[in-house]
Amino acid sequence: LEPKEEFEHKTLAMDVMRPRQSDPPLSVLTQSGMSVDQVEAIIADTSYSGFPIVVSQESPRLVGFVLRRDLVISIDNARRCQEGIVGASQVLFTEQTSNPVGPPPLSLRSIIDLSPLAITDHTPIDITVDIFRKLGLRQCLVTQNGRLLGIITKKDILKHMAQMTNRDPESILFN
Ligand code: ADP
């Protein structure tokens, strides 16, 4: 093995994904149980381009992924045009099963990607880069034993590669 190859094989998805240990936890939405106010607070407090959706905080199994801009547009529209939608309305990314008490829920299932690409934390980074290239991904989620651990964006990959080679991220791989 060339030294470079050996090194590349040692870097795993878990080394590139966010959050890092010192970062705030991954910002996720739960498939049910959050209010419009709570979702809007997460949008306001962060600048991420998207949010993974999980079953619940206790059971962080991946349900889907929603883009920030789709969330913002849909909530704005619903607040303006949909009868009964208020801050306390429950946001549902699941199919609605029962009639919850309180104000009518806001169903946003139609705006989520229900099968976002996920890799395990032990996926070697060179394979991860290949997946990004071949599938033209903007982001991919990282799981461990089915639990959502983190996220890798295209920019995270570019930054990592630039660090490896001391090169300008923009010149490396995409574009
Ligand atoms: P980009 O990497 O293109 O700037 P983002 O603004 O979505 O895209 O992400 C900024 C950083 O935050 C990246 O390092 C990414 O891995 C991380 N990140 C993205 N989404 C989330 C999230 N929902 N929770 C925590 N960190 C995230």
Side-chain angles (χ1 to χ4, degrees):
L1 276 180
E2 275 180 28
K4 186 164 166 265
E5 276 181 68
E6 206 173 293
F7 188 81
E8 274 179 4
H9 279 101
K10 279 190 192 149
T11 304
L12 304 176
M14 66 169 91
D15 303 316
V16 177
M17 73 171 201
R18 306 304 154 104
R20 303 271 201 233
Q21 257 173 3
S22 53
D23 291 343
L26 190 68
S27 277
V28 299
L29 304 176
T30 55
Q31 65 177 356
S32 61
M34 291 181 82
S35 66
V36 168
D37 279 342
Q38 286 173 315
V39 173
E40 283 182 330
I42 290 182
I43 294 170
D45 290 347
T46 63
S47 61
Y48 307 126
S49 313
F51 303 92
I53 296 161
V54 294
V55 171
S56 64
Q57 296 288 352
E58 304 72 46
S59 171
R61 277 183 295 117
L62 185 62
V63 170
F65 190 82
V66 66
L67 290 175
R68 171 193 200 82
R69 61 159 191 271
D70 293 342
L71 255 188
V72 169
I73 292 170
S74 302
I75 293 177
D76 278 0
N77 271 341
R79 273 199 184 265
R80 275 188 291 114
C81 313
Q82 204 175 318
E83 191 82 26
I85 298 299
V86 290
S89 298
Q90 189 184 175
V91 176
L92 287 179
F93 296 105
T94 50
E95 259 139 20
Q96 195 177 343
T97 46
S98 60
N99 245 347
V101 284
L106 170 57
S107 173
L108 294 181
R109 190 172 173 84
S110 63
I111 64 167
I112 71 178
D113 176 357
L114 285 168
S115 28
L117 199 102
I119 58 177
T120 74
D121 57 336
H122 278 80
T123 308
I125 206 63
D126 52 345
I127 293 180
T128 309
V129 170
D130 260 9
I131 296 172
F132 266 81
R133 273 199 190 119
K134 289 186 176 144
L135 300 182
L137 300 181
R138 293 213 51 91
Q139 73 278 313
C140 123
L141 299 162
V142 182
T143 60
Q144 182 188 56
N145 300 325
R147 294 168 65 92
L148 179 64
L149 273 194
I151 184 167
I152 300 178
T153 66
K154 180 171 145 180
K155 228 184 242 176
D156 293 330
I157 295 263
L158 288 169
K159 280 188 209 150
H160 171 76
M161 294 183 75
Q163 273 170 11
M164 291 297 101
T165 56
N166 281 324
R167 278 166 62 191
D168 167 20
E170 298 302 326
S171 73
I172 292 185
L173 143 94
F174 306 96
N175 295 325

